[in-house]
Every structure is written in C-alpha cells, then in structure tokens.
Amino acid sequence: MTAELPLVLVVDDDDDTASLLGMALRRRGFRVDIARSCAEGRALLAERAVDALVTDVSLPDGSGLDLAASLEAKPRAVIVVSGFGSDDDREKSRAAGVHAHLIKPVDVARLVSTLNELLGQTG
C-alpha cells in the first residue's frame, strides 16, 4: 500500500499563477487545493489539514503572512511566494512562522525541491 500524496494548499489571487502552480505541483506528485483569498484559504484549512501551505503575500483581503501567522496548527511546510525579497521581507516571513520565502516568478523546480525537503520526502 502506498502512502497518500501530500496535500498542498496554494493561496494566490492571480488566476494564472494559481493555475500554473497547481498544475505543476500535481504533475510532480502532490495533491493541490487552490484558494484565491485569505478567507477562502482559512475556510479550506478549517475543513481539512494540509501538509503544506504555499501563499502569496499580497491577497485581496489581507496578507499571506498574516494568514500563516494566524494558524494554530501549522502545516509541516509553509512557503511564501512574493515579488519582494529584501532581508526585511524575509525577516517578516520568518517572524510569521514561514519556513521558506521564494521570489516571484517562482522557479517551480525550486518550489518542488523546497516542499520535498520540508516534507521529508524524496523527489
């Protein structure tokens, strides 16, 4: 019997980015849910536990950093994708409990390797 594939929640309000990340992660062996806002992300997280959260910082109803920081039960991997990558931006991510801060446009291979590393799987 094989283990169930890891579930990743992608939170991004940009349809193209969300679709691209979802498709790319599915092709690389992940199950994916997509949310377009903090509220939608919180609702999905309340329904089921996820192995990883990949979130944009700027969302229409708040910040992905605030979403990550507000989670009582954090996923094993929390990754922020942002157009900003200064030391200050990265420190804000760390303070919110984020495990990795990746810069847009996201390098899918790097995202996958970061997820695999954080989830403790080979791939």
Side-chain angles (χ1 to χ4, degrees):
M1 183 162 99
T2 59
E4 193 168 277
L5 298 174
L7 177 59
V8 179
L9 174 59
V10 174
V11 183
D12 199 307
D13 62 318
D14 181 80
D15 290 336
D16 291 337
T17 301
S19 295
L20 172 72
L21 291 177
M23 181 174 43
L25 291 172
R26 285 183 191 102
R27 286 184 179 166
R28 287 162 178 85
F30 296 93
R31 293 177 299 137
V32 179
D33 283 337
I34 295 176
R36 306 284 193 217
S37 66
C38 288
E40 195 176 327
R42 280 189 183 89
L44 285 169
L45 289 164
E47 290 176 15
R48 63 187 157 275
V50 301
D51 297 293
L53 170 65
V54 176
T55 182
D56 189 7
V57 172
S58 298
L59 296 164
D61 60 345
S63 164
L65 295 177
D66 292 339
L67 173 63
S70 72
L71 300 177
E72 288 184 30
K74 291 221 189 304
R76 291 186 293 151
V78 179
I79 299 172
V80 161
V81 292
S82 172
F84 304 98
S86 71
D87 289 342
D88 186 54
D89 295 317
R90 291 176 188 278
E91 180 52 39
K92 287 177 185 174
S93 291
R94 278 189 293 275
V98 171
H99 301 114
H101 183 112
L102 303 180
I103 307 301
K104 287 184 175 182
V106 177
D107 177 334
V108 173
R110 181 161 183 221
L111 174 59
V112 169
S113 69
T114 300
L115 281 168
N116 285 333
E117 180 182 325
L118 292 170
L119 295 175
Q121 54 186 40
T122 59

